[in-house]
């Protein structure tokens, strides 16, 4: 049997090979949307991704007969290490991600290499895949391979789950996305709750101001860190990460697709929605050159998409167990649904991810006729 060599990524050529591998493994798969290689390169590069301000990582390549046949990252997040252990992260918990492998033997060797690095860092529990954090591409796609991948959600070979389990891992948390038909009216109950909220003079739902997006992003960050702080896997988002993400995603920020809810003048909830840019960049083969940049800029002037992606929404903790929380959620959803269909031609939404034990958010998805279309699984193992 030909020996599999696992080696650390050390050079620019190694990084390029790390980024390029999925383009070979998923060539011809109609549901894989090729990311922009420059974006992936920035994500794994200290100095370009502010995650490295509180995290450290080692990338590995697997080679056989001189050919790259796999990749993985091993990493730890110092903010995650400070979280309560009963929320999934906490002291001694390291992570791995960016997992791709040509076969089960490669998978076994890659995971062992990542575990070795984590043990050297005194980690006692391995949790993955996270690429690189819970806020980027968490979990392994285990159901929904017949659906196209959407922006900021991963896509993986269906064989990976059994390979990971063969290495001694068990699922610890499932993340759901819901597909929602948005070209039809919401159910009467949702319409009644929304109408009730609209009659409440204390509530104001406003569009974000893209011209003042840094300040708006700070408001959203404050709500998000409060709303999600008790959730499994929570790691606070830093100001630097918000600024970086805002710059990255500003081209797909549209005023009427991101809304902030205020009660008595206080921002208490938000919903963030993007046109699924994968519908466009998925045709670019991973590069903006030579003329794809111009095509993208032209498309962004007035994008038309089938799918709207809802990556984040939240209601501050003090309201989460109140009737008003439901009103705010359904008001946000309804307003953004109207803009999505009227201004962008969208016919479906993808909502999530949602933790499998997050009853209130799952109820929102189900109340607006959502059906689970993808399941992402995070695995754990004691080291």
């Amino acid at each position: 049997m030909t020996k599999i060599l696992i080696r650390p990524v050390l050079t620019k050529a190694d990084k390029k090979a790390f980024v390029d591998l999925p383009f070979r493994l998923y060539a011809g798969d109609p549901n894989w949307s090729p990311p922009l290689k420059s974006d992936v390169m920035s994500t794994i590069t200290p100095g370009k991704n502010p995650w490295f301000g509180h995290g450290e990582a080692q990338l590995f390549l697997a080679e056989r007969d001189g050919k790259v046949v796999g990749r993985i990252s091993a990493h730890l997040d110092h903010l995650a290490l400070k979280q309560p252990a009963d929320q999934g992260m906490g002291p001694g918990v390291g992570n791995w991600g960016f997992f791709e492998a040509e076969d089960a033997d490669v998978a076994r060797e890659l995971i062992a290499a990542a575990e070795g690095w984590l043990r050297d860092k005194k980690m006692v529990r391995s949790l993955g895949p996270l690429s690189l954090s819970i806020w980027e591409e968490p979990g392994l796609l285990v159901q929904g391979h017949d659906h196209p991948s959407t922006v900021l959600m991963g896509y993986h070979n269906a064989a990976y789950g059994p390979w990971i389990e063969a290495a001694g891992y068990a699922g610890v948390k499932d993340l759901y996305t819901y597909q929602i038909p948005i070209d039809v009216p919401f159910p009467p109950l949702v319409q009644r709750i929304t109408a009730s909220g609209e009659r409440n003079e204390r509530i104001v739902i406003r569009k974000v101001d893209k011209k003042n997006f840094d300040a708006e992003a700070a408001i959203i960050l404050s709500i998000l860190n409060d709303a999600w702080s008790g959730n499994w896997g929570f790691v606070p988002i830093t100001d630097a990460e918000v600024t970086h993400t805002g710059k990255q995603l500003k081209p797909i920020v549209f005023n009427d697709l991101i809304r902030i809810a205020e009660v008595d003048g206080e921002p208490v909830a938000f919903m963030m929605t993007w046109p699924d840019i994968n519908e466009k960049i998925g045709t670019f083969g991973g590069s903006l050159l030579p003329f794809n940049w111009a095509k993208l800029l032209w498309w962004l002037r007035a994008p038309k998409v089938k799918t709207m992606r809802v990556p984040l929404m939240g209601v501050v903790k003090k309201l989460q167990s109140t009737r008003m929380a439901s009103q705010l959620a359904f008001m946000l959803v309804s307003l953004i649904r109207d803009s999505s269909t009227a201004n962008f031609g969208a016919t479906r939404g993808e909502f999530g991810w949602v933790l499998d034990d997050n009853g209130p958010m799952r109820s929102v998805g189900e109340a607006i006729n959502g059906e689970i279309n993808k399941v992402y699984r995070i695995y754990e193992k004691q080291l």
Side-chain angles (χ1 to χ4, degrees), residues 99 111 140-142 145 156-170 377 379:
F99 174 73
I111 292 171
L140 181 86
L141 181 67
V142 295
H145 295 88
H156 311 101
N157 185 335
Y160 287 177
W163 296 350
I164 291 168
E165 291 167 11
Y169 284 80
R377 183 160 296 153
Y379 294 87

mmCIF file with all atom_site columns, all heavy atoms in Angstrom, residues 99 111 140-142 145 156-170 377 379:
data_model
loop_
_atom_site.group_PDB
_atom_site.id
_atom_site.type_symbol
_atom_site.label_atom_id
_atom_site.label_alt_id
_atom_site.label_comp_id
_atom_site.label_asym_id
_atom_site.label_entity_id
_atom_site.label_seq_id
_atom_site.pdbx_PDB_ins_code
_atom_site.Cartn_x
_atom_site.Cartn_y
_atom_site.Cartn_z
_atom_site.occupancy
_atom_site.B_iso_or_equiv
_atom_site.pdbx_formal_charge
_atom_site.auth_seq_id
_atom_site.auth_comp_id
_atom_site.auth_asym_id
_atom_site.auth_atom_id
_atom_site.pdbx_PDB_model_num
ATOM 1   N N   . PHE A 1 99  ? -11.896 20.120 6.415  1.00 0.00 ? 99  PHE A N   1
ATOM 2   C CA  . PHE A 1 99  ? -11.610 18.705 6.204  1.00 0.00 ? 99  PHE A CA  1
ATOM 3   C C   . PHE A 1 99  ? -12.051 18.267 4.812  1.00 0.00 ? 99  PHE A C   1
ATOM 4   O O   . PHE A 1 99  ? -13.209 18.422 4.435  1.00 0.00 ? 99  PHE A O   1
ATOM 5   C CB  . PHE A 1 99  ? -12.329 17.879 7.265  1.00 0.00 ? 99  PHE A CB  1
ATOM 6   C CG  . PHE A 1 99  ? -12.236 16.387 7.076  1.00 0.00 ? 99  PHE A CG  1
ATOM 7   C CD1 . PHE A 1 99  ? -11.052 15.718 7.337  1.00 0.00 ? 99  PHE A CD1 1
ATOM 8   C CD2 . PHE A 1 99  ? -13.332 15.657 6.631  1.00 0.00 ? 99  PHE A CD2 1
ATOM 9   C CE1 . PHE A 1 99  ? -10.960 14.342 7.173  1.00 0.00 ? 99  PHE A CE1 1
ATOM 10  C CE2 . PHE A 1 99  ? -13.256 14.286 6.463  1.00 0.00 ? 99  PHE A CE2 1
ATOM 11  C CZ  . PHE A 1 99  ? -12.063 13.625 6.724  1.00 0.00 ? 99  PHE A CZ  1
ATOM 12  N N   . ILE A 1 111 ? -7.082  13.173 10.442 1.00 0.00 ? 111 ILE A N   1
ATOM 13  C CA  . ILE A 1 111 ? -7.678  13.417 11.753 1.00 0.00 ? 111 ILE A CA  1
ATOM 14  C C   . ILE A 1 111 ? -6.672  13.118 12.861 1.00 0.00 ? 111 ILE A C   1
ATOM 15  O O   . ILE A 1 111 ? -6.575  13.856 13.852 1.00 0.00 ? 111 ILE A O   1
ATOM 16  C CB  . ILE A 1 111 ? -8.962  12.587 11.914 1.00 0.00 ? 111 ILE A CB  1
ATOM 17  C CG1 . ILE A 1 111 ? -10.050 13.114 10.960 1.00 0.00 ? 111 ILE A CG1 1
ATOM 18  C CG2 . ILE A 1 111 ? -9.462  12.622 13.355 1.00 0.00 ? 111 ILE A CG2 1
ATOM 19  C CD1 . ILE A 1 111 ? -11.287 12.250 10.879 1.00 0.00 ? 111 ILE A CD1 1
ATOM 20  N N   . LEU A 1 140 ? -20.550 19.463 9.623  1.00 0.00 ? 140 LEU A N   1
ATOM 21  C CA  . LEU A 1 140 ? -20.404 18.653 8.418  1.00 0.00 ? 140 LEU A CA  1
ATOM 22  C C   . LEU A 1 140 ? -21.791 18.401 7.829  1.00 0.00 ? 140 LEU A C   1
ATOM 23  O O   . LEU A 1 140 ? -22.707 17.982 8.548  1.00 0.00 ? 140 LEU A O   1
ATOM 24  C CB  . LEU A 1 140 ? -19.745 17.317 8.753  1.00 0.00 ? 140 LEU A CB  1
ATOM 25  C CG  . LEU A 1 140 ? -19.511 16.392 7.556  1.00 0.00 ? 140 LEU A CG  1
ATOM 26  C CD1 . LEU A 1 140 ? -18.176 16.731 6.893  1.00 0.00 ? 140 LEU A CD1 1
ATOM 27  C CD2 . LEU A 1 140 ? -19.544 14.929 7.983  1.00 0.00 ? 140 LEU A CD2 1
ATOM 28  N N   . LEU A 1 141 ? -21.955 18.634 6.553  1.00 0.00 ? 141 LEU A N   1
ATOM 29  C CA  . LEU A 1 141 ? -23.229 18.370 5.899  1.00 0.00 ? 141 LEU A CA  1
ATOM 30  C C   . LEU A 1 141 ? -23.494 16.865 5.906  1.00 0.00 ? 141 LEU A C   1
ATOM 31  O O   . LEU A 1 141 ? -22.758 16.096 5.284  1.00 0.00 ? 141 LEU A O   1
ATOM 32  C CB  . LEU A 1 141 ? -23.217 18.895 4.468  1.00 0.00 ? 141 LEU A CB  1
ATOM 33  C CG  . LEU A 1 141 ? -24.513 18.711 3.676  1.00 0.00 ? 141 LEU A CG  1
ATOM 34  C CD1 . LEU A 1 141 ? -25.635 19.559 4.266  1.00 0.00 ? 141 LEU A CD1 1
ATOM 35  C CD2 . LEU A 1 141 ? -24.306 19.062 2.202  1.00 0.00 ? 141 LEU A CD2 1
ATOM 36  N N   . VAL A 1 142 ? -24.543 16.440 6.621  1.00 0.00 ? 142 VAL A N   1
ATOM 37  C CA  . VAL A 1 142 ? -24.869 15.013 6.696  1.00 0.00 ? 142 VAL A CA  1
ATOM 38  C C   . VAL A 1 142 ? -26.215 14.694 6.036  1.00 0.00 ? 142 VAL A C   1
ATOM 39  O O   . VAL A 1 142 ? -26.500 13.540 5.744  1.00 0.00 ? 142 VAL A O   1
ATOM 40  C CB  . VAL A 1 142 ? -24.867 14.503 8.156  1.00 0.00 ? 142 VAL A CB  1
ATOM 41  C CG1 . VAL A 1 142 ? -23.468 14.580 8.741  1.00 0.00 ? 142 VAL A CG1 1
ATOM 42  C CG2 . VAL A 1 142 ? -25.865 15.277 9.027  1.00 0.00 ? 142 VAL A CG2 1
ATOM 43  N N   . HIS A 1 145 ? -27.591 16.794 0.595  1.00 0.00 ? 145 HIS A N   1
ATOM 44  C CA  . HIS A 1 145 ? -26.612 16.876 -0.487 1.00 0.00 ? 145 HIS A CA  1
ATOM 45  C C   . HIS A 1 145 ? -27.262 17.109 -1.845 1.00 0.00 ? 145 HIS A C   1
ATOM 46  O O   . HIS A 1 145 ? -26.563 17.386 -2.826 1.00 0.00 ? 145 HIS A O   1
ATOM 47  C CB  . HIS A 1 145 ? -25.770 15.595 -0.534 1.00 0.00 ? 145 HIS A CB  1
ATOM 48  C CG  . HIS A 1 145 ? -24.930 15.395 0.686  1.00 0.00 ? 145 HIS A CG  1
ATOM 49  N ND1 . HIS A 1 145 ? -25.402 14.749 1.799  1.00 0.00 ? 145 HIS A ND1 1
ATOM 50  C CD2 . HIS A 1 145 ? -23.657 15.773 0.968  1.00 0.00 ? 145 HIS A CD2 1
ATOM 51  C CE1 . HIS A 1 145 ? -24.445 14.726 2.729  1.00 0.00 ? 145 HIS A CE1 1
ATOM 52  N NE2 . HIS A 1 145 ? -23.380 15.333 2.259  1.00 0.00 ? 145 HIS A NE2 1
ATOM 53  N N   . HIS A 1 156 ? -20.151 19.004 1.684  1.00 0.00 ? 156 HIS A N   1
ATOM 54  C CA  . HIS A 1 156 ? -19.167 17.958 1.935  1.00 0.00 ? 156 HIS A CA  1
ATOM 55  C C   . HIS A 1 156 ? -19.598 16.632 1.331  1.00 0.00 ? 156 HIS A C   1
ATOM 56  O O   . HIS A 1 156 ? -20.793 16.347 1.205  1.00 0.00 ? 156 HIS A O   1
ATOM 57  C CB  . HIS A 1 156 ? -18.969 17.770 3.448  1.00 0.00 ? 156 HIS A CB  1
ATOM 58  C CG  . HIS A 1 156 ? -18.733 19.046 4.191  1.00 0.00 ? 156 HIS A CG  1
ATOM 59  N ND1 . HIS A 1 156 ? -19.725 19.683 4.910  1.00 0.00 ? 156 HIS A ND1 1
ATOM 60  C CD2 . HIS A 1 156 ? -17.628 19.811 4.299  1.00 0.00 ? 156 HIS A CD2 1
ATOM 61  C CE1 . HIS A 1 156 ? -19.233 20.797 5.441  1.00 0.00 ? 156 HIS A CE1 1
ATOM 62  N NE2 . HIS A 1 156 ? -17.971 20.893 5.085  1.00 0.00 ? 156 HIS A NE2 1
ATOM 63  N N   . ASN A 1 157 ? -18.617 15.842 1.002  1.00 0.00 ? 157 ASN A N   1
ATOM 64  C CA  . ASN A 1 157 ? -18.838 14.483 0.526  1.00 0.00 ? 157 ASN A CA  1
ATOM 65  C C   . ASN A 1 157 ? -19.669 13.708 1.558  1.00 0.00 ? 157 ASN A C   1
ATOM 66  O O   . ASN A 1 157 ? -19.365 13.712 2.752  1.00 0.00 ? 157 ASN A O   1
ATOM 67  C CB  . ASN A 1 157 ? -17.471 13.822 0.327  1.00 0.00 ? 157 ASN A CB  1
ATOM 68  C CG  . ASN A 1 157 ? -17.550 12.434 -0.278 1.00 0.00 ? 157 ASN A CG  1
ATOM 69  O OD1 . ASN A 1 157 ? -18.547 11.742 -0.167 1.00 0.00 ? 157 ASN A OD1 1
ATOM 70  N ND2 . ASN A 1 157 ? -16.467 12.019 -0.923 1.00 0.00 ? 157 ASN A ND2 1
ATOM 71  N N   . ALA A 1 158 ? -20.710 13.012 1.094  1.00 0.00 ? 158 ALA A N   1
ATOM 72  C CA  . ALA A 1 158 ? -21.578 12.268 2.002  1.00 0.00 ? 158 ALA A CA  1
ATOM 73  C C   . ALA A 1 158 ? -20.850 11.149 2.733  1.00 0.00 ? 158 ALA A C   1
ATOM 74  O O   . ALA A 1 158 ? -21.325 10.660 3.767  1.00 0.00 ? 158 ALA A O   1
ATOM 75  C CB  . ALA A 1 158 ? -22.768 11.693 1.228  1.00 0.00 ? 158 ALA A CB  1
ATOM 76  N N   . ALA A 1 159 ? -19.675 10.731 2.226  1.00 0.00 ? 159 ALA A N   1
ATOM 77  C CA  . ALA A 1 159 ? -18.918 9.659  2.882  1.00 0.00 ? 159 ALA A CA  1
ATOM 78  C C   . ALA A 1 159 ? -18.175 10.137 4.123  1.00 0.00 ? 159 ALA A C   1
ATOM 79  O O   . ALA A 1 159 ? -17.728 9.305  4.933  1.00 0.00 ? 159 ALA A O   1
ATOM 80  C CB  . ALA A 1 159 ? -17.915 9.056  1.897  1.00 0.00 ? 159 ALA A CB  1
ATOM 81  N N   . TYR A 1 160 ? -18.046 11.456 4.297  1.00 0.00 ? 160 TYR A N   1
ATOM 82  C CA  . TYR A 1 160 ? -17.194 11.962 5.377  1.00 0.00 ? 160 TYR A CA  1
ATOM 83  C C   . TYR A 1 160 ? -17.715 11.591 6.770  1.00 0.00 ? 160 TYR A C   1
ATOM 84  O O   . TYR A 1 160 ? -16.917 11.337 7.678  1.00 0.00 ? 160 TYR A O   1
ATOM 85  C CB  . TYR A 1 160 ? -17.051 13.480 5.270  1.00 0.00 ? 160 TYR A CB  1
ATOM 86  C CG  . TYR A 1 160 ? -16.170 13.967 4.141  1.00 0.00 ? 160 TYR A CG  1
ATOM 87  C CD1 . TYR A 1 160 ? -16.012 15.338 3.889  1.00 0.00 ? 160 TYR A CD1 1
ATOM 88  C CD2 . TYR A 1 160 ? -15.496 13.070 3.308  1.00 0.00 ? 160 TYR A CD2 1
ATOM 89  C CE1 . TYR A 1 160 ? -15.207 15.784 2.861  1.00 0.00 ? 160 TYR A CE1 1
ATOM 90  C CE2 . TYR A 1 160 ? -14.699 13.518 2.271  1.00 0.00 ? 160 TYR A CE2 1
ATOM 91  C CZ  . TYR A 1 160 ? -14.556 14.885 2.048  1.00 0.00 ? 160 TYR A CZ  1
ATOM 92  O OH  . TYR A 1 160 ? -13.771 15.342 1.022  1.00 0.00 ? 160 TYR A OH  1
ATOM 93  N N   . GLY A 1 161 ? -19.022 11.599 6.951  1.00 0.00 ? 161 GLY A N   1
ATOM 94  C CA  . GLY A 1 161 ? -19.562 11.285 8.267  1.00 0.00 ? 161 GLY A CA  1
ATOM 95  C C   . GLY A 1 161 ? -19.104 9.925  8.788  1.00 0.00 ? 161 GLY A C   1
ATOM 96  O O   . GLY A 1 161 ? -18.551 9.836  9.895  1.00 0.00 ? 161 GLY A O   1
ATOM 97  N N   . PRO A 1 162 ? -19.296 8.854  8.032  1.00 0.00 ? 162 PRO A N   1
ATOM 98  C CA  . PRO A 1 162 ? -18.810 7.542  8.488  1.00 0.00 ? 162 PRO A CA  1
ATOM 99  C C   . PRO A 1 162 ? -17.298 7.508  8.708  1.00 0.00 ? 162 PRO A C   1
ATOM 100 O O   . PRO A 1 162 ? -16.825 6.820  9.632  1.00 0.00 ? 162 PRO A O   1
ATOM 101 C CB  . PRO A 1 162 ? -19.230 6.606  7.352  1.00 0.00 ? 162 PRO A CB  1
ATOM 102 C CG  . PRO A 1 162 ? -20.442 7.261  6.750  1.00 0.00 ? 162 PRO A CG  1
ATOM 103 C CD  . PRO A 1 162 ? -20.159 8.728  6.841  1.00 0.00 ? 162 PRO A CD  1
ATOM 104 N N   . TRP A 1 163 ? -16.536 8.212  7.909  1.00 0.00 ? 163 TRP A N   1
ATOM 105 C CA  . TRP A 1 163 ? -15.081 8.233  8.090  1.00 0.00 ? 163 TRP A CA  1
ATOM 106 C C   . TRP A 1 163 ? -14.715 8.906  9.410  1.00 0.00 ? 163 TRP A C   1
ATOM 107 O O   . TRP A 1 163 ? -13.815 8.450  10.125 1.00 0.00 ? 163 TRP A O   1
ATOM 108 C CB  . TRP A 1 163 ? -14.397 8.958  6.932  1.00 0.00 ? 163 TRP A CB  1
ATOM 109 C CG  . TRP A 1 163 ? -14.562 8.275  5.601  1.00 0.00 ? 163 TRP A CG  1
ATOM 110 C CD1 . TRP A 1 163 ? -15.068 7.029  5.373  1.00 0.00 ? 163 TRP A CD1 1
ATOM 111 C CD2 . TRP A 1 163 ? -14.216 8.808  4.323  1.00 0.00 ? 163 TRP A CD2 1
ATOM 112 N NE1 . TRP A 1 163 ? -15.063 6.751  4.026  1.00 0.00 ? 163 TRP A NE1 1
ATOM 113 C CE2 . TRP A 1 163 ? -14.540 7.818  3.352  1.00 0.00 ? 163 TRP A CE2 1
ATOM 114 C CE3 . TRP A 1 163 ? -13.670 10.007 3.878  1.00 0.00 ? 163 TRP A CE3 1
ATOM 115 C CZ2 . TRP A 1 163 ? -14.333 8.014  1.985  1.00 0.00 ? 163 TRP A CZ2 1
ATOM 116 C CZ3 . TRP A 1 163 ? -13.460 10.213 2.520  1.00 0.00 ? 163 TRP A CZ3 1
ATOM 117 C CH2 . TRP A 1 163 ? -13.788 9.214  1.586  1.00 0.00 ? 163 TRP A CH2 1
ATOM 118 N N   . ILE A 1 164 ? -15.411 9.988  9.731  1.00 0.00 ? 164 ILE A N   1
ATOM 119 C CA  . ILE A 1 164 ? -15.146 10.696 10.986 1.00 0.00 ? 164 ILE A CA  1
ATOM 120 C C   . ILE A 1 164 ? -15.550 9.826  12.176 1.00 0.00 ? 164 ILE A C   1
ATOM 121 O O   . ILE A 1 164 ? -14.833 9.726  13.174 1.00 0.00 ? 164 ILE A O   1
ATOM 122 C CB  . ILE A 1 164 ? -15.894 12.051 10.999 1.00 0.00 ? 164 ILE A CB  1
ATOM 123 C CG1 . ILE A 1 164 ? -15.268 13.002 9.965  1.00 0.00 ? 164 ILE A CG1 1
ATOM 124 C CG2 . ILE A 1 164 ? -15.870 12.680 12.391 1.00 0.00 ? 164 ILE A CG2 1
ATOM 125 C CD1 . ILE A 1 164 ? -16.095 14.244 9.694  1.00 0.00 ? 164 ILE A CD1 1
ATOM 126 N N   . GLU A 1 165 ? -16.687 9.179  12.062 1.00 0.00 ? 165 GLU A N   1
ATOM 127 C CA  . GLU A 1 165 ? -17.141 8.300  13.146 1.00 0.00 ? 165 GLU A CA  1
ATOM 128 C C   . GLU A 1 165 ? -16.188 7.122  13.347 1.00 0.00 ? 165 GLU A C   1
ATOM 129 O O   . GLU A 1 165 ? -15.964 6.673  14.479 1.00 0.00 ? 165 GLU A O   1
ATOM 130 C CB  . GLU A 1 165 ? -18.557 7.812  12.839 1.00 0.00 ? 165 GLU A CB  1
ATOM 131 C CG  . GLU A 1 165 ? -19.590 8.936  12.936 1.00 0.00 ? 165 GLU A CG  1
ATOM 132 C CD  . GLU A 1 165 ? -20.934 8.562  12.338 1.00 0.00 ? 165 GLU A CD  1
ATOM 133 O OE1 . GLU A 1 165 ? -21.134 7.363  12.036 1.00 0.00 ? 165 GLU A OE1 1
ATOM 134 O OE2 . GLU A 1 165 ? -21.777 9.465  12.174 1.00 0.00 ? 165 GLU A OE2 1
ATOM 135 N N   . ALA A 1 166 ? -15.587 6.638  12.255 1.00 0.00 ? 166 ALA A N   1
ATOM 136 C CA  . ALA A 1 166 ? -14.628 5.540  12.354 1.00 0.00 ? 166 ALA A CA  1
ATOM 137 C C   . ALA A 1 166 ? -13.377 5.949  13.130 1.00 0.00 ? 166 ALA A C   1
ATOM 138 O O   . ALA A 1 166 ? -12.663 5.098  13.669 1.00 0.00 ? 166 ALA A O   1
ATOM 139 C CB  . ALA A 1 166 ? -14.238 5.049  10.958 1.00 0.00 ? 166 ALA A CB  1
ATOM 140 N N   . ALA A 1 167 ? -13.130 7.264  13.208 1.00 0.00 ? 167 ALA A N   1
ATOM 141 C CA  . ALA A 1 167 ? -11.991 7.767  13.970 1.00 0.00 ? 167 ALA A CA  1
ATOM 142 C C   . ALA A 1 167 ? -12.339 7.976  15.444 1.00 0.00 ? 167 ALA A C   1
ATOM 143 O O   . ALA A 1 167 ? -11.532 8.541  16.197 1.00 0.00 ? 167 ALA A O   1
ATOM 144 C CB  . ALA A 1 167 ? -11.494 9.081  13.365 1.00 0.00 ? 167 ALA A CB  1
ATOM 145 N N   . GLY A 1 168 ? -13.529 7.524  15.862 1.00 0.00 ? 168 GLY A N   1
ATOM 146 C CA  . GLY A 1 168 ? -13.905 7.584  17.267 1.00 0.00 ? 168 GLY A CA  1
ATOM 147 C C   . GLY A 1 168 ? -14.772 8.761  17.656 1.00 0.00 ? 168 GLY A C   1
ATOM 148 O O   . GLY A 1 168 ? -14.965 9.026  18.844 1.00 0.00 ? 168 GLY A O   1
ATOM 149 N N   . TYR A 1 169 ? -15.319 9.468  16.672 1.00 0.00 ? 169 TYR A N   1
ATOM 150 C CA  . TYR A 1 169 ? -16.130 10.650 16.960 1.00 0.00 ? 169 TYR A CA  1
ATOM 151 C C   . TYR A 1 169 ? -17.616 10.307 17.004 1.00 0.00 ? 169 TYR A C   1
ATOM 152 O O   . TYR A 1 169 ? -18.082 9.392  16.312 1.00 0.00 ? 169 TYR A O   1
ATOM 153 C CB  . TYR A 1 169 ? -15.896 11.734 15.897 1.00 0.00 ? 169 TYR A CB  1
ATOM 154 C CG  . TYR A 1 169 ? -14.582 12.440 16.073 1.00 0.00 ? 169 TYR A CG  1
ATOM 155 C CD1 . TYR A 1 169 ? -13.390 11.861 15.626 1.00 0.00 ? 169 TYR A CD1 1
ATOM 156 C CD2 . TYR A 1 169 ? -14.506 13.664 16.707 1.00 0.00 ? 169 TYR A CD2 1
ATOM 157 C CE1 . TYR A 1 169 ? -12.176 12.492 15.804 1.00 0.00 ? 169 TYR A CE1 1
ATOM 158 C CE2 . TYR A 1 169 ? -13.293 14.313 16.887 1.00 0.00 ? 169 TYR A CE2 1
ATOM 159 C CZ  . TYR A 1 169 ? -12.132 13.719 16.434 1.00 0.00 ? 169 TYR A CZ  1
ATOM 160 O OH  . TYR A 1 169 ? -10.935 14.348 16.614 1.00 0.00 ? 169 TYR A OH  1
ATOM 161 N N   . ALA A 1 170 ? -18.336 11.077 17.811 1.00 0.00 ? 170 ALA A N   1
ATOM 162 C CA  . ALA A 1 170 ? -19.788 10.955 17.883 1.00 0.00 ? 170 ALA A CA  1
ATOM 163 C C   . ALA A 1 170 ? -20.399 12.338 17.726 1.00 0.00 ? 170 ALA A C   1
ATOM 164 O O   . ALA A 1 170 ? -19.819 13.343 18.166 1.00 0.00 ? 170 ALA A O   1
ATOM 165 C CB  . ALA A 1 170 ? -20.217 10.349 19.222 1.00 0.00 ? 170 ALA A CB  1
ATOM 166 N N   . ARG A 1 377 ? -23.632 18.492 11.120 1.00 0.00 ? 377 ARG A N   1
ATOM 167 C CA  . ARG A 1 377 ? -23.340 17.823 12.398 1.00 0.00 ? 377 ARG A CA  1
ATOM 168 C C   . ARG A 1 377 ? -21.945 18.216 12.891 1.00 0.00 ? 377 ARG A C   1
ATOM 169 O O   . ARG A 1 377 ? -20.974 18.206 12.136 1.00 0.00 ? 377 ARG A O   1
ATOM 170 C CB  . ARG A 1 377 ? -23.438 16.309 12.243 1.00 0.00 ? 377 ARG A CB  1
ATOM 171 C CG  . ARG A 1 377 ? -23.226 15.520 13.530 1.00 0.00 ? 377 ARG A CG  1
ATOM 172 C CD  . ARG A 1 377 ? -23.828 14.130 13.376 1.00 0.00 ? 377 ARG A CD  1
ATOM 173 N NE  . ARG A 1 377 ? -25.285 14.235 13.200 1.00 0.00 ? 377 ARG A NE  1
ATOM 174 C CZ  . ARG A 1 377 ? -26.028 13.332 12.540 1.00 0.00 ? 377 ARG A CZ  1
ATOM 175 N NH1 . ARG A 1 377 ? -25.459 12.263 12.016 1.00 0.00 ? 377 ARG A NH1 1
ATOM 176 N NH2 . ARG A 1 377 ? -27.327 13.503 12.427 1.00 0.00 ? 377 ARG A NH2 1
ATOM 177 N N   . TYR A 1 379 ? -19.080 17.074 15.607 1.00 0.00 ? 379 TYR A N   1
ATOM 178 C CA  . TYR A 1 379 ? -18.662 15.852 16.283 1.00 0.00 ? 379 TYR A CA  1
ATOM 179 C C   . TYR A 1 379 ? -17.700 16.176 17.430 1.00 0.00 ? 379 TYR A C   1
ATOM 180 O O   . TYR A 1 379 ? -17.006 17.194 17.398 1.00 0.00 ? 379 TYR A O   1
ATOM 181 C CB  . TYR A 1 379 ? -17.948 14.920 15.300 1.00 0.00 ? 379 TYR A CB  1
ATOM 182 C CG  . TYR A 1 379 ? -18.822 14.376 14.197 1.00 0.00 ? 379 TYR A CG  1
ATOM 183 C CD1 . TYR A 1 379 ? -18.998 15.085 13.002 1.00 0.00 ? 379 TYR A CD1 1
ATOM 184 C CD2 . TYR A 1 379 ? -19.447 13.137 14.323 1.00 0.00 ? 379 TYR A CD2 1
ATOM 185 C CE1 . TYR A 1 379 ? -19.791 14.589 11.972 1.00 0.00 ? 379 TYR A CE1 1
ATOM 186 C CE2 . TYR A 1 379 ? -20.228 12.623 13.303 1.00 0.00 ? 379 TYR A CE2 1
ATOM 187 C CZ  . TYR A 1 379 ? -20.390 13.346 12.135 1.00 0.00 ? 379 TYR A CZ  1
ATOM 188 O OH  . TYR A 1 379 ? -21.178 12.841 11.124 1.00 0.00 ? 379 TYR A OH  1
#
